[in-house]
Amino acid sequence: MTPNRFDQAAHSYEDFADVQKRTAAWLAEWIPHERAGNAWEIGAGTGLFTRHLIPWNGRLLATDASPNMVAAGRQHCPEAHWQVCDAACRQPERHDWIFTCSFLQWAAHPASLLPQWAEQLRPGGRILAGMFTHGAVPELHQSLGSAAPIAWRTDKDWRSLFGRAGLRVLACEACTEQKIYPTALDLFRSLHRIGATGKAALSASKLRKTIRRYEQQCPHRDGVKVEWHYCRILAAPDIRSALTSTTPSR
């Protein structure tokens, strides 16, 4: 997924990112109770998760590769320090917390990113991440084929990636949410308005065929149903530390 698609969708993102708003609120349940220290949110977009971090006692840096997303985020959540940079950028300071919500599933090489992020944590630092997982809109992605925007991973895949990056998973939880759209075309339009579209545009005939197939496979009395699968992970870079609790502090 290229940053350009999200950059172009920045003006409409907030109006159509209903699922992202709810998953941001779900991930926010694991925000540390003390809300203090040097924090960095990666892939912050328009600030859907950032606003859950406020108030924050310390420096809260929010970054995104899309200039338009950063501009929108700065308007929605001016309390944070906003910066345009990609997920692999190096910050001059280390962090007590790294947050990321609804971003990692778009990353082309998360196995390379995670060790870099771990290196930017202070001793005792934590990473709190939330991402969409395998099983989300499966019929749609089967229909799209090579034009599908991402290759899905399961929550077990993500746990494994974190582990191979030298991160100890302190807590991991998955959830499933169903959303109803009036038509499959409304679903496609919503995905387009948030930038979540494939690399190649579908032809008009294939789009109509995909819409018909989706409506046949996922009918609902109020339109079509969509299942979204999501997971949240709390991890620490010190794999030698004793795990005193299997759940994050609230």
Side-chain angles (χ1 to χ4, degrees), residues 22-38:
R22 288 193 290 274
T23 51
W26 184 66
L27 182 62
E29 294 174 1
W30 283 9
I31 292 173
H33 179 71
E34 64 275 13
R35 294 171 174 267
N38 198 21

Side-chain angles (χ1 to χ4, degrees), residues 10 53 122:
L53 295 170
R122 290 173 176 171

Side-chain angles (χ1 to χ4, degrees), residues 2 5 21 25 31 35 50 64 70 73 93 138 163 189 208 218 233:
T2 63
R5 293 189 182 275
K21 290 175 185 175
I31 292 173
R35 294 171 174 267
T50 319
D64 199 279
V70 167
E93 296 181 351
R189 284 173 174 164
R208 288 194 295 269
C218 303
I233 288 178

Side-chain angles (χ1 to χ4, degrees), residues 47-66:
L48 293 182
F49 182 74
T50 319
R51 61 202 69 174
H52 288 284
L53 295 170
I54 301 300
W56 188 267
N57 183 16
R59 187 171 189 266
L60 173 59
L61 173 67
T63 66
D64 199 279
S66 159

